[in-house]
Amino acid sequence: MDETLKNAEPVSLWGHFDEIRKLPHPSEHEGPVADWVCRLAEQHGASWVRDSATPVGNVVIRVPATPGHEGAPIVILQGHLDMVGEKDNAVEHDFLKDPIKLRKEGDLLYACDTTLGADNAIGLAAALACLTDPDVVHGPLELLFTVEEETGLTGARSLDASLLQGKILLNLDSEEHGALYIGCAGGADTVATLAVDPRPLAGDGWTPLKVVVGGLRGGHSGIDIPFGRANALLLLAAALQRALQLGIDLQLASFAGGSKHNAIPREAEALLFTREPERLAEVLRREAIAAFVRYVGSEIVEAIRIEAQPAQVAPQVWNPLVRDRFLALLASLPHGVIRMSEAVPGLVETSNNVAVAVFGEGAVKLTLSSRSSVNEELRRVQQGIVLLLQAAGCEVHADEGYPGWQPDLQSPILHRLDRIYTELFGSAPARKAIHAGLECGLLGAKVPGMDMISFGPDIFSPHSPTEHVSIPSVALFWKLLKAVLADLAKNP
């Protein structure tokens, strides 16, 4: 086991986490981890099956009950095999082959300037510890490990529900100890492509530059959206638009930023030409100061960068009319919280993330991710975004998305966990819904009557290179999981 995890409890859980972090498992590349969990199942007397939902396939491991508890209800322990691969640009790390490097600060476990993958490797490790740890008392278990969760819940969408026999599901993909999650938002992506009508750069006296926005916190586009963090794509567009408004001629050659539909963009850059590099540098300096003021409560302001750097740029630039339409579009698109829930105090109901811009082959492609716990509101917001994109001349594809999970306050598993948590820790847990997509929404739709709940340890800043997990909270999460399984085994 990695030296960083020495003395971490529970040993069985952290041992599996250590193995998972060594294996490549970004979305669509979960094969090594899927193969490993199947081998582990065989080594411990469990059977497994993989479906054909994707090239890798979802995995279901069937674990026999602890002797004497064969008549207990089948419980599904559910998590996802993939992780979000995010890193700082300056870091050399290949998520398709390099293990995650660990570091510890006090009781907190981090990676070294990459995502840690605690989302959802902690949940996977806990489920696998229930397979391998003889101290865990349980009835029959089904360990459901889905694929491509982070790219749109693809595995859960395509799951063959006939593989499951259980009707009690414990989702191990939450990120707050002390809270039982009983609902989640639905979501839908929108992808727009805008042809930029490229042409050769005309005239002399142009200076090629790369304008960079960086140093932002980013984060999960659902969980972290209420904190009002800056969006690198929008900061970059606003800075360029401000320079144009002040009469500085900019010939745009490229615009790109963000990397994941479900991550707030931390970095963005534009390649361009200008005849007034000094004036542009001053505009960018002022835009950075304005960002310091605007985001003083939500960003590490001294880390924010909006600056120009020397660059080698091919003399091929966008049609200025398209440039102006594109920058105006980014200024018009909604980003952040759109509406708070009236039913659940403090819960974001609806939001949008302007997530990714990619430039190539004469076009720029934008990806936006919308979320809402109200399906009708999700459709309304997405339709408004589609109209804005079409008005700007984009070709648009609007994804159908996935449903939310409506809270059931009469849920038997909710009341059981309420009781057990209170007995273990001396106070009642919070009941919450999350402004993010849990697979419970799709799984509940596929298996009518499924009784579901989600819980987990304290995981902070998922989907960003500052992702970290509280080691003590993992021990508490494990204690709760063991107690719930024992209670279900002994008191069906």
Side-chain angles (χ1 to χ4, degrees), residues 134-153:
D135 291 336
V136 181
V137 177
H138 57 79
L141 300 178
E142 292 178 330
L143 313 185
L144 170 59
F145 300 147
T146 54
V147 294
E148 299 182 29
E149 189 267 357
E150 300 289 10
T151 53
L153 311 181

Side-chain angles (χ1 to χ4, degrees), residues 44-290:
H44 289 271
S47 62
W48 59 269
V49 63
R50 284 162 73 166
D51 67 15
S52 57
T54 70
V56 172
N58 300 302
V59 178
V60 177
I61 297 172
R62 297 190 175 95
V63 183
T66 301
H69 301 285
E70 292 82 0
I74 298 171
V75 177
I76 302 169
L77 303 182
Q78 191 265 319
H80 59 87
L81 292 169
D82 57 325
M83 68 173 288
V84 169
E86 276 279 294
K87 67 181 186 68
D88 290 332
N89 281 345
V91 175
E92 292 292 332
H93 185 91
D94 185 345
F95 286 99
L96 296 183
K97 64 181 182 181
D98 296 336
I100 301 297
K101 297 178 182 178
L102 304 179
R103 64 183 178 90
K104 189 164 69 170
E105 294 183 12
D107 288 333
L108 301 175
L109 182 68
Y110 291 79
C112 296
D113 300 313
T114 72
T115 38
L116 175 62
D119 171 18
N120 184 226
I122 295 292
L124 297 180
L128 291 169
C130 295
L131 162 69
T132 63
D133 190 333
D135 291 336
V136 181
V137 177
H138 57 79
L141 300 178
E142 292 178 330
L143 313 185
L144 170 59
F145 300 147
T146 54
V147 294
E148 299 182 29
E149 189 267 357
E150 300 289 10
T151 53
L153 311 181
T154 304
R157 290 190 202 212
S158 306
L159 176 71
D160 179 358
S162 68
L163 297 177
L164 300 175
Q165 299 176 23
K167 287 297 184 81
I168 299 171
L169 186 143
L170 307 182
N171 173 276
L172 307 180
D173 191 23
S174 289
E175 294 156 357
E176 182 184 1
H177 175 68
L180 304 179
Y181 281 85
I182 58 175
C184 71
D189 289 349
T190 305
V191 178
T193 303
L194 179 64
V196 303
D197 188 16
R199 56 197 57 198
L201 179 67
D204 300 320
W206 296 103
T207 299
L209 294 170
K210 177 167 69 174
V211 177
V212 175
V213 173
L216 306 182
R217 297 181 68 179
H220 189 286
S221 65
I223 295 169
D224 294 320
I225 208 76
F227 302 136
R229 294 177 183 172
N231 181 311
L233 294 173
L234 303 190
L235 281 184
L236 178 58
L240 300 183
Q241 194 171 48
R242 181 59 177 160
L244 289 166
Q245 291 169 347
L246 293 173
I248 300 173
D249 191 3
L250 305 177
Q251 297 298 316
L252 190 59
S254 175
F255 188 105
S259 60
K260 302 288 187 300
H261 78 113
N262 53 5
I264 301 168
R266 297 178 297 105
E267 298 171 329
E269 63 179 46
L271 299 176
L272 54 81
F273 295 87
T274 182
R275 289 192 173 106
E276 299 181 89
E278 293 82 8
R279 282 191 68 202
L280 176 60
E282 177 60 20
V283 170
L284 298 180
R285 187 185 70 83
R286 292 181 181 180
E287 289 295 300
I289 293 171

